[in-house]
Amino acid sequence: NAGVTQTPKFQVLKTGQSMTLQCAQDMNHNSMYWYRQDPGMGLRLIYYSASEGTTDKGEVPNGYNVSRLNKREFSLRLESAAPSQTSVYFCATNVGLADGETQYFGPGTRLLVL
Amino acid sequence: SQKIEQNSEALNIQEGKTATLTCNYTNYSPAYLQWYRQDPGRGPVFLLLIRENEKEKRKERLKVTFDTTLKQSLFHITASQPADSATYLCALDMNTGRRALTFGSGTRLQVQP
């Protein structure tokens, strides 16, 4: 089992370009999350999907959109990238049936916006 | 506002000693608290979960305490090894209505041989 996979691993964009970060899980989990991690800021929740067919905003959703394509896949889209979106992006999942569940993280996507 | 604080300065200790990391939180009462380990260039990995009605939890060389009066959790690694060098994150459910964790910024631990 691959667990949680993310593509691409690295990306360089110019300001104004768009891109989609992909996340897939083979753990049959209901809930999926997108976080960004910046130095000294910890992980901040961008969007999450409690179950297939639902998505909700997290702490820092501006400038992003998401799609829960099916139970396995949750993508994050930057429509018009800005330098402030330079960060490391992590996808995470959990079973999604109760509070306090462990989260399982992907390896991350490192994004540089010039 | 609700806040999670971890010491941003790196903790440097000698191999074999006990490392103690601190997680403080304000303005809410979480039902549970989790600790994760993150190695450079990788995603966080779950280590331990402790619930509000548990004072202490152990797993091999790891021990976590949870003091809801002080609003603090301590994370201990006994007999530390260079392989324990990593960043350790605490995470809580901030009762936002989302089943999502809120993470502290982490403390980097460096164990010297």
Side-chain angles (χ1 to χ4, degrees), chain A residues 31 33 35 37 40-43 45 48 57-59 90 94 96-108 110, chain B residues 31-32 34 36 38-47 49 51 87 89 93 97-106:
Chain A
S31 299
Y33 306 83
Y35 292 91
Q37 187 174 39
M41 299 288 290
L43 288 155
L45 183 66
Y48 70 105
K57 295 178 181 179
E59 182 186 354
F90 288 100
N94 63 15
L97 296 178
D99 295 330
E101 292 175 355
T102 299
Q103 291 200 346
Y104 298 84
F105 285 83
R110 284 144 191 81
Chain B
Y32 49 84
Q34 302 185 24
Y36 288 75
Q38 186 173 22
D39 292 289
R42 299 195 166 216
V45 175
F46 171 76
L47 295 175
L49 179 151
R51 300 190 182 279
T87 296
L89 309 170
D93 176 1
R98 315 178 194 118
R99 280 200 178 135
L101 298 173
T102 301
F103 286 81
S105 55

Side-chain angles (χ1 to χ4, degrees), chain A residues 79-112:
Chain A
E79 290 291 351
S80 179
S84 61
Q85 294 177 305
T86 293
S87 189
V88 182
Y89 291 85
F90 288 100
C91 176
T93 74
N94 63 15
V95 176
L97 296 178
D99 295 330
E101 292 175 355
T102 299
Q103 291 200 346
Y104 298 84
F105 285 83
T109 293
R110 284 144 191 81
L111 176 64
L112 174 62

Side-chain angles (χ1 to χ4, degrees), chain A residues 34-99:
Chain A
W34 277 106
Y35 292 91
R36 60 178 288 174
Q37 187 174 39
D38 303 293
M41 299 288 290
L43 288 155
R44 292 183 291 168
L45 183 66
I46 305 171
Y47 269 93
Y48 70 105
S49 171
S51 61
E52 185 179 356
T54 69
T55 60
D56 287 284
K57 295 178 181 179
E59 182 186 354
V60 288
N62 291 346
Y64 305 95
N65 283 301
V66 290
S67 295
R68 183 75 182 266
L69 303 169
N70 46 54
K71 191 171 186 178
R72 289 188 65 248
E73 298 171 290
F74 189 36
S75 62
L76 179 71
R77 182 157 178 85
L78 287 69
E79 290 291 351
S80 179
S84 61
Q85 294 177 305
T86 293
S87 189
V88 182
Y89 291 85
F90 288 100
C91 176
T93 74
N94 63 15
V95 176
L97 296 178
D99 295 330

